[in-house]
Amino acid sequence: EVQVLESGGGSVQAGGSLRLSCAASGFIFNSYAMNWVRQAPGKGLEWVSGISGSGAGTYYTDSVKGRFTISRDNSKNTLDLQINSLRAEDTAMYYCAKGARVGGYFDYWGQGTLVTVSS
Amino acid sequence: DIQMTQSPSTLSASVGDRVTITCRASQSVSSWLAWYQQKPGKAPKLLIYEASTLESGVPSRFRGSGSGTVFTLTISSLQPDDFATYSCQQYNTYPWTFGQGTKVEIK
């Protein structure tokens, strides 16, 4: 059974940092891209960042470039998101989402970890 | 970035109704479009990918169609479990982008 489980969320002041983690199981981790998708309270979904199965390719939405860093450890089946220079607009539920075998859609999602940024 | 616009934003319907949600892309995404269902407090669930391919385990009352810039999600006979928010997502061009969501509520 595929499972992804996020951790690391919390409340932080603007300008601060957090490191989100995602533990994956039930599939060959290094064969799949992994992603972070966020959802601000009462808002729609926003893809934040993705990383290829090998880790060689990383991708970001413009609003987080230079502040967020995605990484993965294929020996531990974990995905991380280092979030720096947090802003109020980064407040959201952050979901870890497994990429599909072919294509950039997401076939399994975690339950999310909440990041709250106070100014 | 490719903008995805869904209509309507909210839809009121009754059990048994046929429901159609439209997703429009600001430029062609070919057939690289997915649909998700999300219930309050829960993670999204994949329903359809490549515009019209039903994810394993998803009931056949869900149907996706379209290509290029206009796509539709149709629920042929709305069931109580289908009251949720539905979102489209393009994966033709980075950054991947979602529609704003369509909430299907009980009439």
Side-chain angles (χ1 to χ4, degrees):
Chain A
E1 180 191 4
V2 172
Q3 289 189 332
V4 290
L5 182 63
E6 305 92 337
S7 61
S11 296
V12 63
Q13 288 195 325
S17 297
L18 276 177
R19 189 173 186 88
L20 308 183
S21 293
C22 172
S25 61
F27 62 100
I28 303 172
F29 186 67
N30 62 13
S31 292
Y32 294 89
M34 296 294 293
N35 300 268
W36 291 97
V37 178
R38 68 184 178 184
Q39 188 169 35
K43 302 297 184 182
L45 298 163
E46 180 186 27
W47 174 82
V48 171
S49 181
I51 186 168
S52 64
S54 67
T58 58
Y59 310 88
Y60 301 92
T61 194
D62 283 348
S63 63
V64 309
K65 283 180 183 175
R67 299 190 299 123
F68 290 17
T69 303
I70 192 170
S71 61
R72 64 191 297 161
D73 185 336
N74 286 343
S75 68
K76 297 180 179 178
N77 287 7
T78 57
L79 172 74
D80 287 340
L81 187 69
Q82 177 67 40
I83 307 176
N84 297 329
S85 304
L86 275 158
R87 305 168 180 168
E89 56 264 35
D90 295 320
T91 293
M93 183 71 78
Y94 284 73
Y95 293 101
C96 171
K98 172 183 170 290
R101 194 74 171 104
V102 177
Y105 61 95
F106 317 117
D107 53 7
Y108 289 93
W109 299 63
Q111 288 307 302
T113 188
L114 183 62
V115 172
T116 303
V117 183
S118 57
S119 54
Chain B
D1 299 0
I2 297 177
Q3 307 302 316
M4 307 300 291
T5 304
Q6 290 180 232
S7 59
S9 295
T10 306
L11 189 159
S12 296
S14 301
V15 172
D17 283 355
R18 180 185 180 89
V19 164
T20 299
I21 299 167
T22 300
C23 176
R24 287 183 168 84
S26 60
Q27 63 190 77
S28 177
V29 299
S30 187
S31 294
W32 306 123
L33 185 108
W35 288 97
Y36 301 89
Q37 176 194 67
Q38 188 178 23
K39 296 180 180 179
K42 300 294 187 182
K45 172 189 173 185
L46 175 67
L47 298 176
I48 287 167
Y49 59 93
E50 211 170 323
S52 61
T53 303
L54 207 62
E55 173 70 345
S56 176
V58 174
S60 59
R61 63 181 180 271
F62 291 92
R63 188 173 74 88
S65 64
S67 66
T69 62
V70 182
F71 303 86
T72 59
L73 173 69
T74 300
I75 309 173
S76 60
S77 177
L78 200 64
Q79 298 301 300
D81 191 48
D82 300 338
F83 292 96
T85 297
Y86 295 85
S87 299
C88 61
Q89 177 231 338
Q90 69 80 19
Y91 51 98
N92 182 74
T93 306
Y94 278 115
W96 308 148
T97 48
F98 290 87
Q100 81 279 16
T102 294
K103 184 177 181 180
V104 177
E105 42 182 46
I106 301 172
K107 190 173 184 178

